[in-house]
Amino acid sequence: MISFEEARVLIARQVVLSGDELVDVEEALGRVLAEEVRADRDYPPFNRAAMDGYALRLEDWNAGLREYQIAETILAGQPASKEITKGFCYKIMTGAAVPLSANFVIRVEDSVRAGQLVTLHAGTVKVYMNIARQGEDFLAGQLMIGSHIRLSPQLISMLAAVGRQQVKVKKLPAVAVLTTGDEVVPIGQEVLPYQIRNSNSYLIRSMLRELGHIPEFIAHVPDDKELIKDALEQALKSELVIINGGVSAGDADYVPDLLAALQVRKLFHKVAIRPGKPVWVGVKPNGGLVFALPGNPFSCMVTFHLFVKLFLELSQGLHMPVMLKLTLATERLKKVNLNEFFPVRLDPQGMTLYPVAINGSGDIGLGRYAQGIALHPLEKSTLFPGDLVDFFFL
């Protein structure tokens, strides 16, 4: 049995950086960007009205004029047809381009209109008030998004804003997901009193999907050596294999021996953590890793985040995740001499952790509403309120 830190180092040593590929922006959510993205023009590309109102010249206002003739109305997406001179203004809508002959906007709520005349009133005014100036977000050619960052909905929006239909991202390994167990049945099948539904398959696939991965091979097999061997032979054709169940010390836990028979070299088996102690990791004959995760749901989730996610992120050029140090709100006792991970939620300020109740690693609730997991170090039997603990976001 090895330590948590040793396990992560061993996994990191197996990382081979993936290549690049072009994908449609619509398919890029969760993928890791493999290029820099720069502004194709100024943003905003024009002086933009920040609200509905009246655009006018500051020199007229400073001269004491409060009643103006409306030269024209400017809608978003339409250009002005004339310049304004003394005593004239534009009625302008939010998002519309403010002509250069106007340099501030008074909101429509501060106006009284009578036909083509409008009387304006406001407190302190200044040049470019209520105007988003051209280029204040980004200048043409300016770096907008650096490479080696996971694409979020915000970043996808930015890619669309600069007209990118395709984007270069890191390639994803082909992934196989294999679950095992006589007691496990598909979610659409009648479940007997001594059986459980295959929630772990959906758990693993959902965690992969959050990282942009869709498995190419998905299967479930009962605790039968020959059937498991056949399924493993198929799964091992993928670059990355994730197995769930069959790795502990039970009579039907065949996975480690079968992997050895298939020439998968064991990297480690058993880590000094709870939950997840039985986790098995090995190297395929032609490269790529096999992760055999424990069958209990919380153990499966924790070991995926600590080990599988680590490998996937390092393989795409992301850095080793940094654990946050946050304050624990309550006392916590630990009875085992292992690093113990427990579900937690953050207080509204995001600085203090509150443990979330869980009925052991087999609890299908998985510490519901938890926002992350915290580490109770093996050398401490008790954590006290105010202690700093390592925290991982889920």
Side-chain angles (χ1 to χ4, degrees):
M1 185 164 61
I2 64 173
S3 71
F4 165 62
E5 294 80 8
E6 289 173 320
R8 285 165 68 86
V9 169
L10 286 173
I11 289 170
R13 288 176 180 168
Q14 300 302 316
V15 166
V16 176
L17 292 178
S18 60
D20 304 333
E21 63 179 348
L22 282 175
V23 301
D24 291 342
V25 166
E26 289 187 20
E27 305 299 323
L29 182 63
R31 301 293 297 271
V32 174
L33 190 62
E35 61 175 321
E36 292 183 342
V37 176
R38 295 183 177 272
D40 62 323
R41 57 177 181 164
D42 291 346
Y43 287 94
F46 46 80
N47 287 345
R48 185 184 68 225
M51 58 182 61
D52 297 336
Y54 295 89
L56 58 152
R57 307 189 316 168
L58 187 61
E59 61 189 274
D60 291 349
W61 182 270
N62 288 341
L65 291 180
R66 296 297 181 265
E67 187 176 84
Y68 294 84
Q69 185 81 22
I70 299 172
E72 65 178 313
T73 297
I74 307 174
L75 304 177
Q78 296 181 0
S81 63
K82 60 187 74 171
E83 291 188 358
I84 56 172
T85 55
K86 184 177 181 179
F88 284 83
C89 69
Y90 301 102
K91 185 176 184 183
I92 197 162
M93 305 302 155
T94 303
V98 180
L100 294 179
S101 57
N103 55 12
F104 81 107
V105 172
I106 290 179
R107 61 182 188 165
V108 72
E109 292 91 339
D110 296 328
S111 69
V112 177
R113 181 173 175 176
Q116 288 300 104
L117 285 176
V118 62
T119 301
L120 303 175
H121 54 89
T124 303
V125 301
K126 60 181 180 179
V127 67
Y128 298 117
M129 183 176 78
N130 297 324
I131 294 175
R133 297 190 65 182
Q134 179 175 339
E136 72 173 30
D137 296 339
F138 296 99
L139 296 172
Q142 185 178 350
L143 179 67
M144 296 179 68
I145 312 173
S147 62
H148 296 93
I149 186 170
R150 193 173 298 283
L151 289 169
S152 64
Q154 299 97 309
L155 298 181
I156 294 293
S157 175
M158 290 173 65
L159 290 171
V162 299
R164 298 294 295 270
Q165 292 180 297
Q166 290 190 315
V167 63
K168 186 187 293 185
V169 296
K170 304 303 292 184
K171 285 184 178 179
L172 299 177
V175 181
V177 175
L178 178 65
T179 55
T180 69
D182 287 338
E183 77 282 14
V184 181
V185 298
I187 63 173
Q189 180 177 314
E190 181 181 356
V191 61
L192 298 174
Y194 49 84
Q195 294 177 321
I196 59 174
R197 297 185 179 93
N198 194 359
S199 61
N200 279 358
S201 178
Y202 291 87
L203 171 64
I204 293 169
R205 287 147 59 186
S206 295
M207 292 187 293
L208 286 168
R209 186 178 288 272
E210 284 187 326
L211 302 176
H213 298 259
I214 297 177
E216 66 171 8
F217 176 84
I218 303 166
H220 177 80
V221 288
D223 292 320
D224 179 285
K225 275 188 176 182
E226 289 305 315
L227 292 177
I228 295 175
K229 182 181 178 183
D230 290 344
L232 284 174
E233 288 176 340
Q234 291 297 314
L236 288 171
K237 295 176 182 178
S238 299
E239 297 171 64
L240 175 67
V241 181
I242 303 173
I243 306 163
N244 184 241
V247 294
S248 193
D251 290 346
D253 290 330
Y254 304 128
V255 168
D257 288 342
L258 289 172
L259 287 170
L262 292 169
Q263 307 303 309
V264 178
R265 176 175 61 86
K266 181 179 73 173
L267 199 59
F268 59 82
H269 186 193
K270 296 184 180 179
V271 180
I273 60 173
R274 180 182 181 183
K277 178 181 173 182
V279 63
W280 190 101
V281 178
V283 182
K284 294 170 49 192
N286 57 345
L289 289 191
V290 177
F291 292 88
L293 311 181
N296 279 331
F298 190 61
S299 298
C300 176
M301 182 176 73
V302 168
T303 50
F304 181 95
H305 277 278
L306 297 182
F307 303 124
V308 182
K309 184 178 179 181
L310 170 72
F311 177 74
L312 290 172
E313 294 199 334
L314 293 179
S315 297
Q316 293 180 63
L318 300 179
H319 296 297
M320 178 81 79
V322 176
M323 292 179 284
L324 297 177
K325 292 278 190 184
L326 295 178
T327 302
L328 191 64
T330 62
E331 183 175 307
R332 187 177 191 277
L333 304 178
K334 179 170 66 70
K335 297 180 180 179
V336 296
N337 190 31
L338 299 169
N339 278 319
E340 188 167 73
F341 292 91
F342 59 99
V344 290
R345 61 179 177 83
L346 287 159
D347 73 337
Q349 287 72 42
M351 298 298 293
T352 305
L353 301 175
Y354 289 83
V356 173
I358 187 169
N359 295 319
S361 61
D363 187 341
I364 67 164
L366 298 170
R368 60 179 175 169
Y369 311 131
Q371 295 157 294
I373 52 176
L375 171 61
H376 190 148
L378 63 86
E379 66 272 12
K380 291 186 177 182
S381 60
T382 305
L383 292 174
F384 297 99
D387 282 354
L388 288 175
V389 295
D390 290 330
F391 170 76
F392 296 82
F393 274 109
L394 289 176

